[in-house]
Amino acid sequence: MIFDNVVEESVTFCVDTSGSMYNCLHVVKEQLVEALYKHVKHSSGSPLFNIVEFNSQITQWSDKMVKCTPETVAVASKWIDELSAKTGTNTMDALLIAFGDPECKAVYLVTDGLPDQNPEEILDHVGYVDNDRPVHCVYLMGEKADESATEFLEDLAIETYGSF
């Protein structure tokens, strides 16, 4: 399970759609839709969500957080289904867009490697805008983990009180 347990009510999923994600993107898409339907079912309040796709470009599913209902998840799942691998890994702007919405209470970042930007620069920028909101990092690794990517994602999770 990629998204084991989404505990926060209002979450943004940041999904890496860089070229290196080509082989695993179909699994990420399936499990993201499944996680959204579970979020509807297991949430006690009125959960909100958004999705940010990132490669060299950033694309938001919605311009703001949306109430998580079976109907909105059905609409989002059509959008998710259209996601495809492209070039670049603009992790920093994806995180900044997610945290730019004050309704967002946590970010679930799914990636398979290092960002295009300097990891230290990303940690600095996110540190200014996260406001104690966690980043839960999901690292999809191939045969062998990339040490630099692991270190960056662990640091991001630690600095935002998220998980890795």
Side-chain angles (χ1 to χ4, degrees):
M1 242 358 243
I2 293 175
F3 306 101
D4 197 26
N5 193 14
V6 177
V7 293
E8 297 85 2
E9 285 285 310
S10 301
V11 296
T12 299
F13 296 91
C14 291
V15 180
D16 179 351
T17 55
S18 62
S20 57
M21 290 285 290
Y22 178 80
N23 289 328
C24 59
L25 194 54
H26 66 285
V27 175
V28 172
K29 294 186 319 186
E30 285 171 16
Q31 295 206 6
L32 176 54
V33 171
E34 194 176 308
L36 287 169
Y37 278 117
K38 270 171 79 175
H39 197 49
V40 171
K41 199 185 298 185
H42 294 115
S43 189
S44 54
S46 40
L48 302 172
F49 78 100
N50 200 356
I51 307 159
V52 176
E53 168 197 20
F54 66 99
N55 41 67
S56 56
Q57 304 292 310
I58 307 300
T59 309
Q60 292 185 86
W61 171 66
S62 173
D63 60 354
K64 63 183 180 11
M65 301 290 286
V66 173
K67 194 167 168 67
C68 194
T69 66
E71 295 77 23
T72 57
V73 173
V75 172
S77 69
K78 288 184 176 90
W79 185 84
I80 291 166
D81 196 45
E82 298 296 314
L83 296 177
S84 62
K86 299 171 186 82
T87 58
T89 311
N90 189 351
T91 309
M92 181 157 63
D93 285 345
L95 290 168
L96 294 177
I97 293 245
F99 283 133
D101 189 326
E103 295 285 332
C104 175
K105 301 302 179 214
V107 171
Y108 285 77
L109 173 70
V110 183
T111 187
D112 69 344
L114 278 171
D116 290 344
Q117 302 86 7
N118 177 321
E120 286 301 316
E121 194 177 323
I122 293 173
L123 294 171
D124 287 346
H125 278 78
V126 169
Y128 289 121
V129 298
D130 72 342
N131 294 328
D132 296 327
R133 295 176 286 180
V135 177
H136 301 290
C137 300
V138 179
Y139 179 34
L140 304 174
M141 59 185 195
E143 299 288 313
K144 187 172 179 279
D146 178 301
E147 210 172 294
S148 300
T150 302
E151 185 179 323
F152 162 64
L153 294 169
E154 283 179 337
D155 287 348
L156 182 59
I158 289 166
E159 287 192 19
T160 62
Y161 302 100
S163 60
F164 175 72

